[in-house]
Amino acid sequence: MRRLFVFIFTFIIWQSPCQSSPVNSSVLNPEWASSPTWIALLSYQQTLFNQAYTSQADSTAFFLASNGKNDPHSELLATFDGLFQNNSLGDEHPRCRFPARYHWLIEKLSTSIEIPAAPKCEAFNTFQETLNAAGATMIFPAAYLNSPSSMFGHTLLRIDQHGQDKSNRILAYTASYAAKNDPSDNQLSFVFKGLMGGYPGEMTVLPYYMKLKEYRDIESRDIWEYPLNLSQEETDQMVRHLWEVSGETFDYYFFTENCSYRLLGVLDAIRSEKPMLKAFRLHAIPVDTVRAALQHGYIVDAIYRPSIVNQFQYQLDLLSPDQRDLVYGLVNHPVPEYATLEHYPAEQKAAILETAFLYSRLVTTVPQQVAAKRSLQLLRDRNELDIESPLPELPTPTQRDDQGHLSSRLQISAGEFDDQPYIGFDWRPAYHALNDPGLGYPLGSELKFLDMSFRYYQDDGLKMEDLSLIGIKSITARNRFFRPLSWTFDIGGHRVEEHEKRAWVPHIQGLAGPAWNVSGGLLYALAGGQGQISSKLKSGFDVRAQTSIGYLRKTDSQQFLIGANFEQSAVNDSDPDLRVSARHDLQLTGNWNIFWEFERSKISGSYRNQYELGIKVFY
C-alpha cells in the first residue's frame, strides 16, 4: 500500500504543469529583472517615494508569480520556471499566454541552456497570422470637444499588413486602448469616473475602417497617420506584446493612464533603450505623445486624412454660388432639383453630385429614410457619368497638430487695475486658449485644464485671481449647410466685488449661442448663466444671467480678440455688471508670445480700467 501511494504521488508530481524547472535558475542574471525591457513588458512603474516597483496591470492573470505585481525578480523566476512546463497545456502554457516575455527571455538564455521545444499555441498563431504584420502606424484623430474622453485627441496603432498599400490600408487592423465604461452612466458620472480611475481600460483590436467611420465620418475629426520605422523583428515583438495585453485590465484615467500612455508603453516594450513613458507621469496628452515619438525617431512620415466635413467644405468652395444652391436643393428640398442639374456639362455635374453625396452623409432636413434613398441615388447618378473626379483632393495643411504650440503655458505680466499696479503670474499645464496661437488648433476651440492666475499687489500681497479647473469653448460658425450650436463651460473660482472687497468665490458657468464667419474671423453671441456659492456672498449664493458677444480673428502670427460681457444677478438687487475688452497677441517664435490687453468695466456701479502687458511661453 505504501509503495502504491509513493508511486501515485510521484506520478502526480511528474505530470503536474507546475513542476519546478529541471535547470537551476542560477543561469538567470539578477540584473535582468530591472532591465528596461523587462520593466516595460510587465508595465512596472517605480513609486515616487521609495522607488519600489508596481505593475500598472490589475489582473492577477497577467503574472505568473503570486507577488509578480510588485516584484519583477519573482516574476522573472516564475517566467523561467514556465519554460519547462508541460507542452500539453497548449494555449494555456505560459509561453502561449506571454510570447513577448518568453521571446525576450529565450534570447537572453539561448547561449546558457538548451531551450525546451515550443508548445503548440493555436490561438496566438491565429492572432499572428490574421494580423500578418509588416509594420505599424500611429494614428492621431484630432481633438473632439464634444466627448470628455477625446477632448485632447486620441492615438491608436494601425497594424499594417504585408501586401497592403494606400488603396487598401483601411482593411488593416488597429490596436486601441480605451475606457470600458458603463453605457448607463450619464456624462457627469462619465467625467468623474474617468478622472478618478473609475473605469477599467482594455486594449482592443478592430479593423481600421471601423475606426475611420467613427472618427472621420461620425465625429468629423481630421486624422493624421504617422508610419513608424519599426524593423520586422520589432514589429513581430509588438504583435507578441499586444497579444499579452489584449484582454488584460489596467486602470484608465483621462489625463494619465489613457490611450496614448498605454500606446507608448507598447513602443517602450519593443525598443526600450530610450523609454518614453517616464516623461508622462503627471499627464499624457495625445499630441505630446506624438511629439515624443517624433523626438525618439519612431516617426518617418505624416499622412493627412481630412474629416468628411472639411472635405465637403473644400469641395463646396470650388463650386459657383448657383452650384452650391443646387447641392443644398438636391439633399434638402422636398423635391430634388434634378432638372437644373441637366443644364451642366458632365464634368460640372460630377462635381455637384460628388459634393451633394458627401453632404447627404452629414446632415439633412428630410426624414432619415428619404435621406438614405437620396444618398444612394446621388451615388448612382454620379457613377453613371463614368468620368474621373474633377475635384482635387483637399491639400494637406501647412502645419500639423503636433507642430502647434506646446501644451503647457507659463505667463508673466505687469498691469494696473483700478489704479493699483500688480505683477501677474499664470500657469496652465494644458492645453489651448482662444487667444493662443492658432496654427495646429481649430479656430474657436479652447480647452483649459488647471489654468490658474495669481496677482501680486503691493498692498494685498500675492493672491489667486482666477482658477479654471476645466474650461471649454467650442465656437463654430453657422452657415446655410450647417447650424452647430457654439457653447462654453467653465468650473473653478474667481474674485468678485463683495462688500467693497475682492472676495474669492467658486463658480460654474455655461453659455450657448450662434457664431458666424465674418471677414476671416468668428463673431459669436452667447447667453447663459453662472452659479456662485460662498459664505462671502451677501446671500451665500448667487445666480447670474450672462450674455457674451465677441469677435476672434487669427493670422499665422497674431491673434485679436474683442468682446463685451453683461451680467445681472437674479438673487441680489444690484446694478448689472458690464465689461468690454480688447486683446492682441503677437507670436515672436513658435512658443514665445507677447500680449497686451485693455478692459473697462462697470461693476457695482463703479467704472474700472485694467491694463496688462506680458509675455507667455509654451513648453
Side-chain angles (χ1 to χ4, degrees):
M1 190 64 170
R2 183 179 178 184
R3 288 184 178 178
L4 177 61
F5 175 78
V6 171
F7 171 77
I8 293 173
F9 180 77
T10 306
F11 179 79
I12 291 173
I13 292 295
W14 182 71
Q15 290 291 330
S16 170
C18 298
Q19 60 188 313
S20 60
S21 161
V23 178
N24 194 307
S25 61
S26 62
V27 297
L28 293 175
N29 185 336
E31 293 183 358
W32 294 350
S34 57
S35 74
T37 303
W38 184 248
I39 296 302
L41 283 169
L42 274 296
S43 299
Y44 286 117
Q45 287 290 326
Q46 287 181 292
T47 58
L48 291 175
F49 299 106
N50 59 9
Q51 297 295 295
Y53 283 105
T54 298
S55 174
Q56 293 174 324
D58 297 316
S59 169
T60 55
F62 193 68
F63 308 98
L64 294 171
S66 58
N67 59 343
K69 182 176 176 65
N70 301 302
D71 190 339
H73 187 256
S74 291
E75 186 63 20
L76 180 63
L77 290 173
T79 304
F80 176 74
D81 285 343
L83 266 178
F84 305 97
Q85 289 197 13
N86 197 319
N87 279 0
S88 64
L89 290 172
D91 287 333
E92 294 303 313
H93 194 285
R95 290 176 69 176
C96 297
R97 293 165 56 197
F98 306 112
R101 299 178 204 176
Y102 278 99
H103 180 81
W104 173 81
L105 181 61
I106 288 170
E107 280 195 335
K108 293 282 188 184
L109 292 169
S110 59
T111 57
S112 306
I113 63 170
E114 183 178 348
I115 305 298
K120 192 174 182 180
C121 305
E122 292 184 359
F124 170 67
N125 290 339
T126 300
F127 177 78
Q128 195 174 36
E129 290 167 6
T130 301
L131 293 185
N132 189 24
T137 296
M138 181 182 283
I139 305 296
F140 174 74
Y144 181 56
L145 294 178
N146 290 322
S147 171
S149 62
S150 299
M151 287 189 299
F152 292 96
H154 179 55
T155 56
L156 61 153
L157 274 180
R158 189 183 68 202
I159 317 300
D160 299 326
Q161 298 182 359
H162 288 283
Q164 285 185 333
D165 56 25
K166 183 181 177 182
S167 65
N168 57 6
R169 285 285 186 220
I170 63 171
L171 299 177
Y173 284 91
T174 62
S176 178
Y177 178 75
K180 191 177 180 181
N181 62 302
D182 185 344
S184 64
D185 284 347
N186 57 39
Q187 283 290 311
L188 188 60
S189 177
F190 179 62
V191 171
F192 180 77
K193 289 184 177 179
L195 290 172
M196 304 306 292
Y199 292 122
E202 64 176 2
M203 188 77 76
T204 56
V205 177
L206 291 171
Y208 187 39
Y209 66 83
M210 293 178 64
K211 291 296 181 182
L212 279 178
K213 182 178 180 182
E214 177 184 354
Y215 298 130
R216 185 190 60 180
D217 299 348
I218 297 176
E219 297 180 351
S220 297
R221 301 161 69 175
D222 285 344
I223 292 175
W224 287 98
E225 300 175 348
Y226 300 94
L228 304 178
N229 67 343
L230 303 181
S231 66
Q232 187 61 54
E233 169 57 25
E234 290 173 326
T235 301
D236 293 342
Q237 182 68 343
M238 177 192 68
V239 171
R240 296 184 195 105
H241 186 58
L242 288 175
W243 172 258
E244 292 180 350
V245 297
S246 295
E248 298 297 337
T249 56
F250 297 78
D251 286 338
Y252 187 96
Y253 296 85
F254 282 165
F255 295 118
T256 52
E257 296 179 41
N258 55 24
C259 57
S260 299
Y261 180 90
R262 200 56 60 199
L263 189 150
L264 289 191
V266 172
L267 295 180
D268 277 359
I270 62 175
R271 193 184 290 178
S272 57
E273 61 271 21
K274 293 181 180 178
M276 293 181 282
L277 273 188
K278 286 185 177 179
F280 295 95
R281 296 291 295 270
L282 298 179
H283 59 77
I285 296 175
V287 71
D288 289 340
T289 64
V290 173
R291 292 176 180 133
L294 276 161
Q295 292 167 359
H296 284 73
Y298 277 97
I299 292 174
V300 295
D301 196 5
I303 300 164
Y304 176 61
R305 281 188 187 266
S307 69
I308 192 170
V309 167
N310 284 340
Q311 181 66 42
F312 166 73
Q313 291 283 9
Y314 175 69
Q315 292 183 193
L316 195 68
D317 290 342
L318 297 176
L319 303 181
S320 68
D322 290 342
Q323 291 170 339
R324 293 175 204 163
D325 289 343
L326 189 50
V327 166
Y328 185 86
L330 287 171
V331 175
N332 286 321
H333 284 180
V335 180
E337 302 170 3
Y338 275 96
T340 309
L341 183 65
E342 297 305 320
H343 298 159
Y344 290 96
E347 190 172 272
Q348 293 183 30
K349 191 189 297 186
I352 294 168
L353 287 170
E354 285 180 24
T355 308
F357 173 68
L358 276 184
Y359 183 44
S360 70
R361 296 171 59 191
L362 293 169
V363 64
T364 179
T365 59
V366 298
Q368 189 66 33
Q369 287 186 336
V370 177
K373 289 181 180 177
R374 287 188 182 183
S375 184
L376 182 60
Q377 187 61 47
L378 289 166
L379 185 61
R380 285 174 177 161
D381 293 342
R382 170 61 187 91
N383 289 337
E384 286 177 0
L385 292 175
D386 196 25
I387 59 174
E388 293 290 325
S389 174
L391 296 169
E393 292 185 359
L394 174 60
T396 300
T398 56
Q399 193 158 9
R400 304 188 305 265
D401 294 50
D402 63 88
Q403 294 173 316
H405 67 74
L406 299 180
S407 300
S408 299
R409 189 186 79 178
L410 181 65
Q411 175 178 299
I412 298 174
S413 61
E416 183 178 284
F417 174 73
D418 197 20
D419 297 327
Q420 295 185 58
Y422 66 84
I423 301 294
F425 173 79
D426 290 44
W427 178 70
R428 185 191 70 205
Y431 163 72
H432 177 72
L434 280 185
N435 50 41
D436 288 339
L439 291 177
Y441 295 85
L443 179 66
S445 68
E446 176 174 291
L447 178 55
K448 300 187 298 184
F449 175 64
L450 282 181
D451 189 2
M452 53 189 77
S453 172
F454 299 86
R455 285 184 184 177
Y456 175 79
Y457 289 95
Q458 189 171 9
D459 295 335
D460 293 340
L462 183 65
K463 290 184 177 179
M464 179 175 280
E465 183 71 14
D466 201 358
L467 168 66
S468 178
L469 295 175
I470 185 162
I472 308 172
K473 287 186 173 67
S474 177
I475 311 295
T476 309
R478 299 160 69 91
N479 56 35
R480 184 181 183 187
F481 292 88
F482 302 107
R483 297 183 177 278
L485 184 69
S486 297
W487 59 276
T488 73
F489 172 81
D490 189 271
I491 183 168
H494 61 174
R495 294 204 172 271
V496 301
E497 296 288 334
E498 193 70 21
H499 305 300
E500 298 182 352
K501 292 185 177 179
R502 290 174 58 76
W504 172 260
V505 174
H507 77 263
I508 183 169
Q509 178 197 58
L511 304 170
W516 305 268
N517 274 321
V518 176
S519 300
L522 277 176
L523 175 66
Y524 57 88
L526 311 177
Q530 181 185 80
Q532 302 173 342
I533 183 166
S534 171
S535 60
K536 297 173 183 175
L537 296 173
K538 186 185 302 180
S539 304
F541 71 98
D542 198 2
V543 178
R544 304 178 72 82
Q546 292 185 320
T547 58
S548 177
I549 300 172
Y551 180 72
L552 171 69
R553 181 179 167 85
K554 295 189 178 187
T555 68
D556 286 350
S557 60
Q558 299 183 71
Q559 296 81 241
F560 305 90
L561 180 61
I562 58 175
N565 294 280
F566 173 87
E567 292 183 22
Q568 175 64 64
S569 172
V571 177
N572 301 313
D573 184 18
S574 58
D575 292 336
D577 293 343
L578 177 65
R579 292 182 175 84
V580 293
S581 61
R583 175 166 174 142
H584 175 215
D585 289 64
L586 175 64
Q587 194 170 3
L588 301 176
T589 65
N591 288 299
W592 286 88
N593 276 214
I594 57 172
F595 71 92
W596 65 267
E597 185 172 17
F598 167 74
E599 178 183 286
R600 180 165 176 79
S601 57
K602 180 188 177 187
I603 301 173
S604 301
S606 300
Y607 287 94
R608 315 280 176 81
N609 289 331
Q610 176 178 299
Y611 310 89
E612 190 169 23
L613 174 67
I615 186 168
K616 58 186 180 183
V617 57
F618 299 91
Y619 64 97

